């Protein structure tokens, strides 16, 4: 745990005002910073959050082994020098409890809870064109009007429901990694089943295996995972970062993913000799993190370059996993490395050497149903006391289309995005004036360091609102043509890469019926920020800015 001084807990809002300049939806890291930043503009801000406290992702994902896959020194707010000095991370990759503790510390430090109502879900946000106001309602009967709605609802915050036949009759306990019970779950000595092998499962499995009686993992698609090499945060790393923090931050902001890796190159794989290629891959493996993606510049662009890395990881899996049949099942096939988010693990593959752990490939024996006592596949029944579903999220759009948002002419966001989301710069949609979506679809968000991306969006929104105020505007709406152009650009950039070849949540492929499209901007954080700067410099190009009062008087 961190060494920061414990502060007195700031009290949440007890009364919802009838009106605020800005309503912020969500109190994760984006929402918390939004409150702080918008208050600095002298505007009234009020927020709602479904959880009982701040933290967002780190509030809900309390599953065993949950930790960040971005280094703690990079996954930290950058907006306050005082905050940077007051908080020290204890591990290289922070655990969920420590990140949640940090969120609570920040909420106390900046007295953020006073304008947030917790345990409250938004049921509708409806734009009144005549009044140029949003009417927001909650499941607690609250009603509030505002000029601006800012959503900070996360990209991966709607867990997929486990729609398995018979689940309602299961006599044991079942849980979802993405909505892990706050009171905790006891698996010691029990028969546990884990369904799914994405990032959440890959962190959960080694932890649960340590004390479960027996653990069976049900895998549909084997995932690429590389070692995190977690441990205490090394002193030299802290010195490296904080000796010249402004300089370090600039370096992060000029990077593609809001992080800087030890191994980076401008050279293509073919420019290295076969010996050099293997040396670089080995070096990347020993460094851990996502260094493997920095081995060759064309690793996610060229199938041959990608295959070098994929074969290398396949060999590592065969080396690690003692049972050859299990090793073969764990070897990812059919999609390029890195095109489903690369996982970082602590002993994931080695966990399958334990006597109490088994792997079932559900392509060989599909899940038929959940029974009263366990899980039935086409071959046998697996008894269970506890089933852990780690089956992912309705990513990017799921958290937004369920807010009951209706824009101009009563059009719902859900219907506007029926054939796929179109979101100008990943922040605003035509037909929805004065609605900003932090880390919305087609933003760089999930392909970068989320803390930097959310700070960037919130700062940009604050600048935009200030500009409007200073120039007498009170309504802003993304233009159709600019939005189509951004959608075409994001698609074009994605199609240059190997990413569309995987059935990933990036592509919406993990949710039945969801339109298949790449849902993030893959052109790099540096280019993304440059585009926002250019848009702002040209008077918020691509947005229609207007004054509702002038129109009323005309
Ligand atoms: O979800 P996922 P996640 N029957 O969608 C399987 C972030 N994150 O929660 O690949 C059986 O990746 C599914 O199989 P398939 C990170 O961005 C970060 O693990 O669709 N299986 C897959 O194996 C990450 O990418 C951190 O064939 C079913 C798994 O369930 C994102 O969140 C930690 C199934 C879902 O994997 C999502 O990760 C955790 C079914 N019906 C998460 N449906 C860190 O910072 C799905 N699956 C470290």
């Amino acid at each position: 745990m961190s060494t920061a001084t414990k502060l007195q807990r700031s009290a949440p809002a007890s009364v919802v005002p009838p009106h605020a300049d800005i309503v912020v939806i969500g109190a994760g890291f984006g929402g918390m910073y939004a409150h702080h930043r918008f208050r600095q503009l002298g505007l009234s801000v009020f927020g709602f959050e479904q959880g009982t406290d701040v933290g967002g992702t780190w509030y809900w994902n309390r599953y065993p082994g949950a930790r960040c896959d971005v280094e703690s020194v990079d996954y930290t707010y950058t907006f306050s020098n005082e905050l940077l000095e007051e908080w020290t991370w204890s591990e290289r990759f922070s655990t969920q409890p420590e990140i949640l503790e940090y969120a609570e510390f920040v909420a106390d430090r900046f007295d953020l809870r006073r304008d947030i109502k917790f345990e409250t879900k938004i049921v509708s946000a409806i734009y009144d064109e005549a009044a140029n106001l949003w009417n927001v309602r909650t499941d607690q009967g609250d009603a509030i009007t505002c000029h601006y709605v800012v959503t900070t609802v996360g990209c991966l915050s709607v867990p997929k429901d486990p729609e398995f036949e018979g689940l309602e009759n299961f006599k044991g306990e079942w849980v979802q990694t993405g909505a892990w019970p706050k009171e905790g779950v006891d698996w010691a000595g029990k028969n546990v089943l884990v369904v799914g092998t994405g990032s959440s499962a890959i962190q959960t499995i080694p932890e649960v295996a340590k004390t479960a009686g027996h653990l069976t993992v049900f895998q549909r698609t084997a995932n690429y995972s590389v070692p995190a090499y977690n441990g205490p945060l090394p002193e030299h790393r802290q010195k490296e970062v904080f000796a010249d923090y402004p300089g370090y931050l600039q370096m992060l902001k000029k990077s593609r993913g809001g992080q800087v890796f030890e191994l980076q190159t401008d050279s293509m794989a073919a420019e290295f000799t076969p010996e050099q290629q293997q040396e670089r891959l080995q070096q990347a493996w020993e460094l851990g993190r996502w260094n493997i993606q920095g081995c060759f510049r064309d690793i996610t662009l060229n199938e041959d370059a990608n295959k070098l890395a994929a074969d290398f990881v396949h060999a590592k899996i065969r080396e690690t996993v003692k049972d050859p049949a299990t090793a073969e099942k764990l070897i990812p096939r059919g999609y390029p490395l890195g095109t489903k988010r690369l996982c970082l693990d602590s002993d994931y593959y080695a966990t399958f050497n334990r006597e109490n752990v088994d792997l079932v490939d559900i392509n060989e024996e599909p899940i038929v149903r959940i029974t009263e006592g366990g899980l039935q596949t086409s071959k046998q029944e697996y008894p269970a006391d506890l089933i852990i579903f780690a089956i992912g999220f309705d990513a990017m759009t799921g958290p937004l289309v369920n807010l009951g948002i209706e824009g101009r002419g009563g059009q719902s966001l859900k219907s506007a995005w029926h054939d796929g989301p179109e979101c100008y710069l990943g922040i605003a949609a035509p037909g929805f004036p004065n609605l900003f979506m932090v880390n919305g679809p087609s933003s760089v968000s999930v392909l970068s360091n989320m803390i930097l991306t959310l700070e960037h969006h919130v700062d940009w929104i604050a600048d935009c609102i200030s500009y409007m105020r200073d120039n007498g505007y009170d309504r802003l709406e993304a233009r159709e043509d600019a939005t189509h152009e951004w959608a075409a650009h994001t698609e074009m950039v994605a199609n240059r890469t190997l990413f569309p070849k995987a059935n990933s949540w990036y592509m919406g492929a993990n949710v039945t019926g969801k339109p298949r499209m790449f849902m993030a901007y893959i052109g790099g954080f540096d280019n993304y920020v440059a585009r926002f700067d250019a848009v702002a410099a040209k008077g918020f190009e691509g947005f229609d800015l207007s004054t509702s009062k002038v129109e009323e008087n005309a």
Side-chain angles (χ1 to χ4, degrees):
M1 288 285 148
S2 161
T3 51
T5 321
K6 234 179 161 56
L7 303 173
Q8 197 182 347
R9 194 174 188 280
S10 64
S14 51
V15 178
V16 177
H19 178 81
D21 294 321
I22 308 181
V23 162
V24 174
I25 305 178
F29 278 72
M32 289 198 294
Y33 180 52
H35 277 266
H36 176 70
R37 185 71 183 83
F38 298 152
R39 274 181 195 170
Q40 289 176 331
L41 298 179
L43 296 173
S44 57
V45 189
F46 198 82
F48 297 95
E49 162 59 47
Q50 280 191 69
T52 58
D53 204 351
V54 295
T57 285
W58 304 103
Y59 172 93
W60 298 104
N61 287 268
R62 297 167 190 251
Y63 60 83
R67 66 172 75 242
C68 194
D69 55 9
V70 173
E71 274 194 332
S72 50
V73 286
D74 293 341
Y75 196 85
T76 204
Y77 280 127
T78 71
F79 67 85
S80 158
N81 288 335
E82 294 76 22
L83 179 62
L84 281 161
E85 277 167 26
E86 288 161 16
W87 187 270
T88 310
W89 296 104
S90 61
E91 292 185 47
R92 186 177 176 205
F93 296 97
S94 301
T95 60
Q96 172 274 327
E98 188 166 355
I99 304 175
L100 189 58
E101 195 194 342
Y102 175 66
E104 290 166 2
F105 178 79
V106 173
D108 294 331
R109 173 73 175 72
F110 297 97
D111 191 14
L112 299 178
R113 291 187 189 89
R114 71 167 197 251
D115 296 320
I116 302 174
K117 185 169 181 205
F118 293 94
E119 294 181 80
T120 305
K121 198 174 160 197
I122 300 299
V123 292
S124 66
I126 298 174
Y127 179 66
D128 175 343
E129 200 166 350
N132 187 31
L133 286 175
W134 284 88
N135 293 296
V136 178
R137 289 181 181 275
T138 77
D139 65 348
Q140 303 298 308
D142 308 302
I144 179 171
T145 61
C146 58
H147 278 298
Y148 300 99
V149 172
V150 177
T151 65
T152 58
V153 289
C155 301
L156 295 150
S157 51
V158 175
K160 274 179 26 174
D161 287 330
E163 289 167 343
F164 294 94
E165 188 193 321
L167 183 58
E168 65 284 4
N169 301 322
F170 180 53
K171 297 267 190 270
E173 186 183 4
W174 67 266
V175 289
Q176 291 164 280
T177 45
W180 196 263
K182 253 175 101 177
E183 56 282 8
V185 176
D186 178 19
W187 61 86
K190 293 185 178 171
N191 242 335
V192 185
L193 313 182
V194 171
V195 181
T197 51
S199 300
S200 305
I202 280 176
Q203 293 186 326
T204 305
I205 288 162
E207 281 305 307
V208 170
K210 285 178 191 164
T211 51
H214 194 275
L215 168 63
T216 310
V217 176
F218 293 84
Q219 171 186 276
R220 187 164 72 181
T221 308
N223 231 315
Y224 285 98
S225 190
V226 294
Y229 300 120
N230 187 43
L233 176 61
E235 223 177 293
H236 73 84
R237 185 75 181 112
Q238 282 197 66
K239 282 196 183 136
E240 219 169 76
V241 172
F242 295 109
D244 168 24
Y245 191 71
Y248 181 79
L249 192 53
Q250 264 320 98
M251 194 166 69
L252 295 188
K253 288 184 175 173
K254 294 271 172 244
S255 69
R256 310 230 357 123
Q259 303 180 70
V260 177
F261 294 99
E262 293 88 338
L263 211 58
Q264 306 201 33
T265 180
D266 285 331
S267 303
M268 306 294 177
E271 293 175 60
F272 295 99
T273 64
E275 292 74 27
Q276 286 170 331
Q277 289 167 347
Q278 292 307 308
E279 270 168 30
R280 287 185 71 76
L281 288 162
Q282 181 60 31
Q283 204 187 343
W285 187 263
E286 286 166 16
L287 285 166
R289 291 211 285 160
W290 288 317
N291 274 293
I292 200 158
Q293 306 202 121
C295 274
F296 318 119
R297 198 168 90 78
D298 52 349
I299 201 154
T300 50
L301 303 174
N302 176 300
E303 301 233 24
D304 293 337
N306 192 280
K307 189 170 180 310
L308 287 169
D311 288 348
F312 180 87
V313 176
H314 294 178
K316 290 291 178 195
I317 297 171
R318 289 191 180 103
E319 242 173 62
T320 311
V321 180
K322 292 192 183 123
D323 172 43
T326 305
E328 287 314 305
K329 282 185 198 166
L330 285 167
I331 285 176
R333 294 186 174 88
Y335 65 96
L337 177 145
T339 56
K340 275 176 181 268
R341 189 177 172 99
L342 186 63
C343 304
L344 292 199
D345 72 87
S346 298
D347 296 328
Y348 173 63
Y349 294 119
T351 297
F352 291 92
N353 292 331
R354 296 179 63 106
E355 288 288 315
N356 67 334
V357 178
D358 284 322
L359 178 68
V360 174
D361 179 346
I362 65 167
N363 300 295
E364 287 170 8
E365 48 172 308
I367 297 173
V368 175
R369 72 180 69 84
I370 307 294
T371 61
E372 285 191 2
L375 185 153
Q376 177 73 52
T377 68
S378 59
K379 286 195 181 155
Q380 67 178 90
E381 184 178 1
Y382 294 85
D385 304 308
L386 169 67
I387 306 179
I388 299 173
F389 293 103
I391 56 174
F393 300 87
D394 181 356
M396 308 302 291
T397 50
L400 289 162
V401 296
N402 293 321
L403 292 173
I405 292 173
E406 282 181 28
R408 267 194 302 110
Q411 189 184 27
S412 73
L413 190 67
K414 198 175 221 161
S415 67
W417 286 358
H418 180 264
D419 299 327
E422 282 213 352
C423 192
Y424 182 43
L425 305 175
I427 206 167
F432 300 87
N434 296 348
L435 168 71
F436 293 102
M437 293 172 269
V438 170
N439 286 337
S442 304
S443 65
V444 74
S445 55
V446 289
L447 297 171
S448 183
N449 173 347
M450 292 289 273
I451 300 274
L452 290 187
T453 63
L454 63 87
E455 282 186 340
H456 165 253
H457 265 192
V458 169
D459 285 338
W460 192 88
I461 294 166
D463 290 347
C464 180
I465 292 175
S466 298
Y467 175 89
M468 289 172 68
R469 201 170 49 175
D470 295 348
N471 290 280
Y473 299 119
D474 65 1
R475 193 169 53 198
L476 161 141
E477 185 177 335
R479 291 167 54 128
E480 293 264 1
D481 55 350
T483 308
H484 291 326
E485 184 273 326
W486 180 251
H489 177 65
T490 53
E491 191 186 354
M492 183 269 291
V493 181
N495 285 340
R496 282 190 199 149
T497 74
L498 301 174
F499 276 78
K501 291 188 180 292
N503 289 323
S504 64
W505 60 259
Y506 294 133
M507 295 294 299
N510 67 330
V511 173
T512 314
K514 205 165 168 170
R516 193 182 167 102
M517 61 178 276
F518 196 76
M519 281 191 294
Y521 172 68
I522 202 167
F525 183 56
D526 47 354
N527 291 323
Y528 188 66
V529 171
R531 177 68 186 255
F532 271 77
D533 289 348
V535 163
K538 289 182 193 159
F540 296 88
E541 188 185 42
F543 291 96
D544 281 329
L545 295 168
S546 57
T547 308
S548 56
K549 290 185 190 73
V550 172
E551 284 172 16
E552 272 166 29
N553 296 338

